[in-house]
Amino acid sequence: MLTRSFKRWVSRRPDAWLLAGSLYALAIACASVHLASAQTVSEKSPLPARSPLTGQPAVGMAYVGDRACADCHQEKSASYHRTAHATTSSPGTKDSIKGKFNPGSNTLRTANPDLYFQMEAGATGFLQRAIVRTSPTEVLTRAERIDLVIGSGRKGQTYLFWDGDALFQLPISYWTERDAWVNSPGYIDGRADFERPIPARCLECHGSSFESRAPPPGSYNRASLVLGISCEKCHGPGSEHVAQYRAISSTVPRSTTAIVNPKKLSRERQIDVCALCHAGAGNSLTPPLSFTPGNDLAKHLAFPKLPQDARLDVHASQVQLLERSRCFQSSPTMTCTTCHDVHQPQRDLAAFAVRCLSCHQAESCGAFPKQGHAIDRQCVTCHMPAQATDQIVIAALGGKSMQPKVRNHQIAIYPEVRTP
């Protein structure tokens, strides 16, 4: 059975291979795949690429865009735009796509011996092509352009394409650990599925702004998309703030409330800024993009109330896992930014250990008697181990599945973990 868009499958070469395509849209939680907003292009008439730093302001006149912020905050802006937050969505270009297009590295075979995918780089951009043979003399192919890249590439990337105003996920993703093309999370190996639409809740976390179009769901005004997580996603609309600091007259009063400084919010509201995207998909109570920093997130998203001992997946429940930690419960001030500086890339686990040792003594660790101060740099490795997520499952050849590892944010003692 072919997909609903039969007209997009075309017979081309009598000597090609066969398809076992299927109209099968496997729905999984938004939080379980790296989806987001970004700028895209049509195959015939490319639109100019747009980065988070040079992007247009978000929908609404109150937003000014990251370029305006960079005028005064150059150092923080430069470091921030190298973070995974800022690069969580981008145009599909040779610089943003991590997967390889050279022969030998651009093909993904599937469980169906007559179906394979080929990644192609050409004058019109970068494509994913499904190639199948329906008979000894007939081949069907479907190619879609990689319009949007979702994910910074630290763990992997997935890709989106436009079909008119509708946004869909492509069937092939990239996994950094294996440096290889893989089936997109939740897709069945051996089927060519181009039919998974991108809901607004996904875009809300992987982009900064967008304007939804009329049904069907997953339709957007392309020109409205703002890539990456912008400054105003965490600091709120900046037009009044910028206007005050650009005013020529020194008599114009400057309000300290014209922009949100998350550090000055209450502990609950600080965590809400992060929980918008790091506490799971939740059930929307208001339209997407309604939440702004300083709001009570509970009025916008409802997260299920779970028993204290309920299992939480490491992928999208970072806030809930942190809140279960004794460190968090015993501190009246601990928030996500106690350990994370969101304005710069953070990849050194030993640097996080410094934060741990500001409250804890290495000598109190059970591993200290045997290993001494060699453990000083291993706090995160042992007490926040990287574990396989059940929310991102990749089907592979031979009926195997692959699950990326994500760091567990419940700070605890894990007996099964040993220091290197």
Side-chain angles (χ1 to χ4, degrees), residues 76 230-237 256-275 291-295 333-338 340 342-343:
K76 279 192 174 181
S230 70
C231 302
E232 290 166 295
K233 191 79 172 184
C234 298
H235 291 280
T256 58
T257 61
I259 196 74
V260 174
N261 181 347
K263 285 189 176 182
K264 295 184 178 181
L265 297 174
S266 68
R267 183 195 200 192
E268 291 75 16
R269 298 293 81 79
Q270 284 188 53
I271 293 173
D272 278 351
V273 175
C274 303
F291 173 84
T292 55
N295 288 172
T333 60
M334 186 179 187
T335 67
C336 305
T337 56
T338 299
H340 289 287
V342 298
H343 292 104

Side-chain angles (χ1 to χ4, degrees), residues 278-279 313-323 406-407 409:
H278 291 280
D313 191 85
V314 292
H315 174 254
S317 303
Q318 286 93 341
V319 168
Q320 294 94 330
L321 287 165
L322 176 64
E323 291 175 340
V406 179
R407 196 154 298 283
H409 276 65

